[in-house]
Amino acid sequence: MLEQASDIALSKAALSKDKINFYVGGDLINQIISSTFAARTMGAPYLGVFGACSTSMESLALAALLVSTGAARYAIAGTSSHNCTAEKQFRYPTEYGSQKPPTAQYTVTGAGAAVVAAEGDGPRITSATIGRIMDLGLKDPFDMGSAMAPAAVDTIQAHLQETGRDPGYYDMIVTGDLASVGHPIAADLLKRHGVPIAETQFNDCGLLVFDLAKQAVQAGGSGCACSATVAYGHLLKRIAKGGAEAAARRGDGRAALAAVLSAGREHSLHRACRIHRTLIDPKEDFRCNICGHFWSAGRSASSASCCSTLPS
Amino acid sequence: MATKEAGRGPASYKPLSMSPKEYQQFAKSRQPSRPVFANCVRAFLVGGFICFIGEGVQHFFMAAFDMTSRQAGNPTVAVMILISVILTCLGVYDKIAQWAGAGTAVPVTGFANSMCSAAIEHRSEGLVLGVGANMFKLAGSVIVFGTVAAFFVGIVYWILGVSH
């Protein structure tokens, strides 16, 4: 699956495998073996990373660093995870009848890859903030959202302060896999810390990847493919479609779940598709080119936030 | 340039000031609670239903093969295990268990499921080192503590002079 994702990314970038200077990849299995096999097929110099939930943004940040320092012209960041292997390695056998609490999350089966190039017309990575481990002593392996939320908050605040930006600078701030338990906690923490998070859309890949009302995934998605598939497959397309001139993204707040076998980690990514906010003029008809929402002339200015919810 | 940078910077945000204990409280108040009562009702209904089926199977053996209820016990357990293993192999048992909780975990069907699921999971690692070594991964603790408990209960029986 990771090989396929990398091949699709390469074909979209109209590149051949021998043009790739570095392959940065990771997954959830022991010895990140899936990535190693994908790298074997790719044949490019390989850097393996393990960041659990943060792998996709960690690998992307490293790929971007390699490209921006001139060490590489083209680098691929690839990430995959699989529900059954994660269950086997970190939880119970897949067919074992254990009852999962409502705070549990469902590891996403998927793979995502991105080609980072020195030049081109795709969305650009303008900054990346690497997060710290925040261990607040949560020990429930079936509640990773609560364990990861403080790290996500810490990373988002660090990013905003380092770049001197307000949350409103971004059209969307997206966390990796906090899901329905951790995400509201992170939002509450941000509010308590005086971050005007309501200026932007604050969302989460773990909430976007599944239809929580219809699919039995408890609190939502998790695993490193969660953010990889949502970011590379959905959000990047929306950025590209929005014609955004800058896509700032940031990766990698991390939390460690102390005393459990897996370190749950969180990354958050930021993006800017700053197009509609400036285009919506109340005196004109306007169709949002991202969500397709139509606004007629004469509406009140306050209602001009069509992308407040993501189209499913 | 430097002044401009400083001028547009956001107000400095508060760092996380909560102690781990405070945060655990904070997070706990925002977590969905486990539906304990609903789980108990479901466990009661499903567990009871499984025992009802077992009872039916037992009566079938007693009627069809002219067994006493004691004699019918072993084949009944075998049939229940077989049903559980088939449901596990079809990938249905874990779905039922998510709804039923302890209702499917406590009867003998749950024990069969724990062994069967581990055997399926580790089949890819071979028969001896995979299935053989990992089959009791989950069920092993049941056997260990079951044996230990039986040992202590046996000692209590011996001290009290109770015997069957």
Side-chain angles (χ1 to χ4, degrees):
Chain A
M1 200 151 51
L2 188 53
E3 282 175 29
Q4 279 179 1
S6 306
D7 285 345
I8 293 167
L10 278 175
S11 71
K12 281 188 180 171
L15 287 170
S16 61
K17 281 178 183 161
D18 56 339
K19 287 269 195 301
I20 300 302
N21 302 116
F22 288 103
Y23 183 84
V24 190
D27 59 88
L28 275 182
I29 313 183
N30 279 343
Q31 298 163 14
I32 49 170
I33 198 79
S34 322
S35 306
T36 309
F37 283 142
R40 179 183 69 180
T41 313
M42 187 63 60
Y46 166 56
L47 289 163
V49 292
F50 188 89
C53 305
S54 61
T55 305
S56 63
M57 291 306 113
E58 183 180 349
S59 57
L60 190 67
L62 285 171
L65 184 68
L66 285 169
V67 171
S68 74
T69 55
R73 262 177 72 78
Y74 299 104
I76 290 188
T79 306
S80 73
S81 64
H82 197 291
N83 179 268
C84 295
T85 57
E87 290 287 321
K88 178 179 179 178
Q89 190 168 338
F90 301 115
R91 300 180 195 111
Y92 300 117
T94 40
E95 295 304 329
Y96 178 59
S98 67
Q99 192 176 37
K100 289 187 174 164
T103 50
Q105 290 171 238
Y106 192 91
T107 306
V108 170
T109 301
V115 177
V116 183
E119 60 234 9
D121 51 5
R124 271 189 285 166
I125 301 161
T126 59
S127 63
T129 305
I130 306 297
R132 297 183 295 167
I133 306 272
M134 302 286 282
D135 182 358
L136 287 164
L138 279 102
K139 290 179 180 144
D140 184 359
F142 287 107
D143 179 20
M144 298 189 286
S146 305
M148 297 188 287
V153 168
D154 185 68
T155 315
I156 290 169
Q157 288 182 194
H159 178 78
L160 295 174
Q161 287 184 330
E162 281 169 9
T163 55
R165 291 168 186 161
D166 293 318
Y169 175 82
Y170 295 107
D171 285 326
M172 246 185 129
I173 295 180
V174 187
T175 51
D177 55 353
L178 293 178
S180 67
V181 179
H183 189 71
I185 292 177
D188 280 359
L189 283 175
L190 285 168
K191 269 184 218 133
R192 279 169 69 116
H193 296 169
V195 182
I197 196 70
E199 286 177 5
T200 183
Q201 293 175 56
F202 187 45
N203 216 321
D204 179 63
C205 297
L207 297 171
L208 293 168
V209 70
F210 290 122
D211 185 345
L212 279 114
K214 290 189 191 138
Q215 291 174 290
V217 292
Q218 286 85 40
S222 72
C224 46
C226 180
S227 51
T229 51
V230 174
Y232 300 154
H234 178 61
L235 297 172
L236 274 185
K237 276 185 194 158
R238 286 186 59 188
I239 294 175
K241 218 168 151 190
E245 82 283 359
R249 72 162 50 203
R250 58 121 114 221
D252 247 339
R254 294 175 185 185
L257 283 163
V260 296
L261 9 107
S262 64
R265 288 168 188 181
E266 182 49 25
H267 81 272
S268 40
L269 51 114
H270 270 230
R271 53 197 64 255
C273 31
R274 302 178 48 76
I275 186 131
H276 34 285
R277 212 162 266 148
T278 49
L279 281 184
I280 298 175
D281 180 346
K283 290 185 210 84
E284 281 175 27
D285 285 348
F286 171 71
R287 182 180 290 281
C288 173
N289 55 358
I290 293 176
C291 67
H293 193 95
F294 184 75
W295 300 91
S296 58
R299 68 194 172 272
S300 69
S302 62
S303 65
S305 57
C306 52
C307 294
S308 59
T309 53
L310 280 166
S312 55
Chain B
M1 192 63 196
T3 50
K4 194 186 165 197
E5 287 286 318
R8 72 185 176 97
S12 80
Y13 304 126
K14 276 181 248 166
L16 189 72
S17 54
M18 279 187 253
S19 73
K21 217 166 192 171
E22 281 167 344
Y23 177 70
Q24 283 160 26
Q25 290 286 329
F26 177 84
K28 203 164 186 185
S29 65
R30 282 159 180 75
Q31 287 161 1
S33 57
R34 294 182 186 217
V36 177
F37 182 73
N39 282 351
C40 289
V41 172
R42 287 170 179 181
F44 176 78
L45 290 176
V46 176
F49 183 67
I50 291 171
C51 295
F52 174 74
I53 297 172
E55 199 64 28
V57 173
Q58 192 173 17
H59 279 273
F60 166 77
F61 279 115
M62 283 157 69
F65 299 103
D66 203 20
M67 291 174 172
T68 64
S69 66
R70 226 187 150 86
Q71 284 172 321
N74 284 343
T76 303
V77 170
V79 168
M80 297 312 287
I81 288 173
L82 184 70
I83 293 172
S84 168
V85 167
I86 290 171
L87 289 177
T88 304
C89 293
L90 293 174
V92 187
Y93 200 91
D94 58 328
K95 307 273 188 308
I96 304 172
Q98 176 62 33
W99 191 82
T104 49
V106 174
V108 71
T109 50
F111 189 76
N113 165 253
S114 72
M115 288 185 63
C116 178
S117 59
I120 298 170
E121 191 83 348
H122 295 278
R123 176 65 187 86
S124 59
E125 292 155 38
L127 274 175
V128 177
L129 292 176
V131 175
N134 292 294
M135 205 166 171
F136 285 90
K137 215 174 176 183
L138 297 163
S141 59
V142 178
I143 295 185
V144 169
F145 289 106
T147 313
V148 172
F151 173 73
F152 284 110
V153 170
I155 289 178
V156 171
Y157 271 40
W158 178 69
I159 291 169
L160 297 177
V162 189
S163 64
H164 289 286

